[in-house]
Amino acid sequence: MKLSRRLKMENGQMVSSTTPGAFKGGGLDRKTYNAVKTLVHFRLVERLDLTSVTRTPGPELAAIVKDALQEITTSENAPLNQKERGMLIEDLMNEIMGFGPLEPLIQDDAIQDILVNGYDSVYVEQNGILHLTPIQFRDNDHLSQIIDKIASGVGRRIDESSPMVDARLPDGSRVNAIVPPLALDGPVLSIRKFAHHALTIGNLLKTESLMPEIAAFLEGAVRSKLNILISGGTGAGKTTFLNVLSNYIPETERIVTIEDSAELSLGQPHVVRLESRPPNIEGRGEVTLTDLVKNSLRMRPDRIIVGEARGAEVMDMLQAMNTGHPGSMSTIHTNSPRDALSRMEVMLSMGTALFTERAMRGLIASAIDIIVQLNRLPDGRRRVISVTEILGLENNTIEMQDIFRFVQKGVDEKGRIYGTFTGSGTPSKFLDHIRVNGIDLDPAIFTICREVV
């Protein structure tokens, strides 16, 4: 039976065609368009040899599928005009070869985050601002299928017995999904996109995320093997900034990266990438960040980079920084440098070792040298808010001082935040250490005072 006749039997009298992206104003409604798409998809499965398809390379398979879809929509007399057929074929190609309605958003380099709050509510972040999109899934089952496709692609599972998952797309983008019964209104999906073109310090200087003087100091800190902690809230750009700083690591050094979900993309030739593993369905086989940090110490690393410090692995990371692995870096979710130190104390207490408060603070003060605080401002831009050095432990308190700081002054008529990057006026205590390692910094960089918009 032709598609057009079957649709009339199922849906009643067919309405006139229009662009399926609109689905309003008396044109082809979404229900009818989805019915056509489902039937065409069914015909495609009937036509293709699934045994040979599984052995066909991606680009060749895409061409085969596209040709088959064009033949089906023509021969079956689908009730669509030429433009609608093109859109239908594109949608089905995304469904089969990609991640369905999300595929155009994933391919759009201008989008940083994709936030799916339900099958009919998809938001994106562009330039730091959230926007609601017209993109929708058929229903919650359709959304669940896409989530399962993403999770299974990296060997993860998500269902009622395991309703949360962290995964990644083939390009490295970070994915988090949570489904019922934990998500009360249906599946929820969050994608933090991985930039196809890695940012450089030049990009950050161009957007005035930091000043050349700050960049020069951080370059000296990385090259001279100071231990750096990058702090900030969600979406502040911590992982991106860690990638940028890692470009200063010499190519002669062996780097081991440790992450829950691999996101770092280092350009050096000698990089070993490790990723933790959740437990399987029987609750076995888990490999934690703590396990990986311990193992990395046996791998002869020059640098250890932990994608995010969030638990008991902090103990082993700090020990590594104190016992022959200087120049290590990590990120942490906090609102200020002082909060970062407090949170590290809490994470140290999560481990099996028992420390006094003074011992914990002494370990942190001797291990961490520099804390870089990043913030995402209300206008969507991300900036280095402060660069803070740890001075040591005095009277059971970790002493610290800001070397550089961004002070917000106001908001202009376009809604952009303006302020001033200022230096402390006092050279860093690490200036001699950096100079001994062959990097000559002008002490005048610590006296900057520059207004930016």
Side-chain angles (χ1 to χ4, degrees):
M1 182 184 296
K2 294 291 185 183
L3 285 174
S4 56
R5 186 177 177 189
R6 182 171 175 181
L7 281 166
K8 285 181 180 179
M9 292 176 64
E10 292 181 354
N11 297 316
Q13 183 62 38
M14 185 70 64
V15 296
S16 60
S17 298
T18 187
T19 304
F23 296 117
K24 292 180 181 179
L28 185 65
D29 61 276
R30 184 178 295 277
K31 180 180 179 182
T32 304
Y33 177 76
N34 285 333
V36 175
K37 187 163 69 170
T38 300
L39 292 172
V40 171
H41 197 172
F42 180 74
R43 291 284 187 266
L44 177 68
V45 173
E46 286 182 331
R47 177 172 299 196
L48 293 179
D49 179 0
L50 296 181
T51 303
S52 62
V53 160
T54 56
R55 298 194 298 266
T56 305
E60 185 179 336
L61 176 60
I64 292 172
V65 170
K66 188 171 184 179
D67 289 342
L69 287 173
Q70 289 173 338
E71 291 177 11
I72 291 168
T73 53
T74 301
S75 63
E76 295 285 349
N77 194 24
L80 305 169
N81 61 33
Q82 191 63 32
K83 185 176 182 180
E84 291 164 353
R85 289 187 184 190
M87 294 184 69
L88 178 72
I89 291 172
E90 182 180 356
D91 283 352
L92 282 170
M93 287 292 293
N94 290 336
E95 201 77 39
I96 298 164
M97 306 301 299
F99 299 106
L102 298 178
E103 193 65 25
L105 304 180
I106 293 171
Q107 299 302 324
D108 188 344
D109 291 341
I111 294 173
Q112 291 94 39
D113 283 272
I114 303 170
L115 307 173
V116 183
N117 299 335
Y119 77 93
D120 58 350
S121 178
V122 179
Y123 285 81
V124 298
E125 180 189 311
Q126 290 179 287
N127 300 318
I129 306 296
L130 290 176
H131 305 278
L132 178 65
T133 72
I135 290 176
Q136 296 184 3
F137 294 81
R138 284 194 310 274
D139 48 33
N140 281 330
D141 287 341
H142 185 201
L143 175 55
S144 296
Q145 290 168 12
I146 298 299
I147 291 174
D148 187 62
K149 185 175 184 180
I150 293 172
S152 61
V154 290
R156 306 287 171 94
R157 56 185 288 271
I158 183 166
D159 50 36
E160 287 189 4
S161 62
S162 180
M164 295 187 295
V165 69
D166 283 315
R168 66 179 185 275
L169 299 180
D171 66 356
S173 296
R174 180 196 312 172
V175 178
N176 176 268
I178 182 166
V179 300
L182 300 186
L184 300 181
D185 299 320
V188 177
L189 177 68
S190 304
I191 300 176
R192 173 68 52 80
K193 287 184 58 182
F194 183 86
H196 296 292
H197 305 288
L199 289 180
T200 65
I201 198 67
N203 299 125
L204 301 183
L205 291 173
K206 186 176 180 180
T207 59
E208 296 185 324
S209 295
L210 75 170
M211 291 291 101
E213 292 85 354
I214 300 176
F217 174 76
L218 291 177
E219 178 180 0
V222 174
R223 292 189 182 279
S224 64
K225 289 194 169 185
L226 295 178
N227 295 320
I228 299 175
L229 187 65
I230 300 171
S231 168
T234 300
K238 299 183 296 297
T239 302
T240 298
F241 199 79
L242 180 56
N243 259 324
V244 170
L245 289 188
S246 71
N247 290 329
Y248 292 133
I249 300 176
E251 293 189 354
T252 55
E253 296 186 15
R254 175 177 170 85
I255 307 167
V256 177
T257 68
I258 299 168
E259 302 172 84
D260 264 332
S261 183
E263 298 172 356
L264 295 172
S265 179
L266 277 61
Q268 289 82 355
H270 201 166
V271 177
V272 177
R273 304 171 69 214
L274 305 179
E275 184 179 59
S276 64
R277 186 177 69 185
N280 60 19
I281 192 170
E282 292 87 16
R284 302 174 184 171
E286 181 181 16
V287 179
T288 66
L289 289 181
T290 301
D291 298 328
L292 293 179
V293 172
K294 287 180 179 178
N295 188 77
S296 71
L297 300 178
R298 306 183 185 98
M299 300 175 69
R300 199 267 178 211
D302 290 306
R303 311 251 186 169
I304 298 173
I305 297 180
V306 179
E308 183 184 339
R310 63 176 70 181
E313 72 277 358
V314 167
M315 169 63 187
D316 299 286
M317 185 181 75
L318 293 177
Q319 292 279 37
M321 291 177 174
N322 274 320
T323 55
H325 298 89
S328 298
M329 292 187 280
S330 185
T331 69
I332 189 170
H333 268 83
T334 55
N335 295 322
S336 71
R338 178 63 65 182
D339 288 345
L341 299 180
S342 299
R343 186 158 185 240
M344 291 193 84
E345 286 187 47
V346 173
M347 289 188 285
L348 277 174
S349 66
M350 294 178 181
T352 55
L354 298 177
F355 291 93
T356 64
E357 183 180 85
R358 182 175 181 82
M360 283 194 293
R361 292 179 180 177
L363 180 62
I364 294 170
S366 61
I368 304 297
D369 298 316
I370 302 291
I371 300 176
V372 181
Q373 179 69 35
L374 305 178
N375 278 10
R376 182 175 61 177
L377 303 179
D379 62 2
R381 287 185 291 181
R382 295 157 171 88
R383 278 211 166 109
V384 173
I385 297 301
S386 65
V387 177
T388 305
E389 64 181 0
I390 306 300
L391 301 177
L393 187 66
E394 186 172 338
N395 297 326
N396 205 30
T397 300
I398 300 176
E399 297 293 326
M400 56 203 303
Q401 72 171 3
D402 291 338
I403 308 172
F404 301 101
R405 190 167 186 82
F406 174 77
V407 180
Q408 182 176 329
K409 295 296 182 66
V411 182
D412 66 13
E413 64 280 359
K414 296 181 179 179
R416 297 178 302 180
I417 290 174
Y418 63 89
T420 305
F421 279 105
T422 61
S424 64
T426 304
S428 166
K429 79 165 193 173
F430 296 111
L431 190 59
D432 288 338
H433 169 84
I434 294 172
R435 186 178 292 119
V436 166
N437 282 275
I439 301 119
D440 193 16
L441 293 179
D442 185 352
I445 67 174
F446 301 103
T447 63
I448 65 166
C449 183
R450 192 166 306 148
E451 187 169 309
V452 295
V453 178

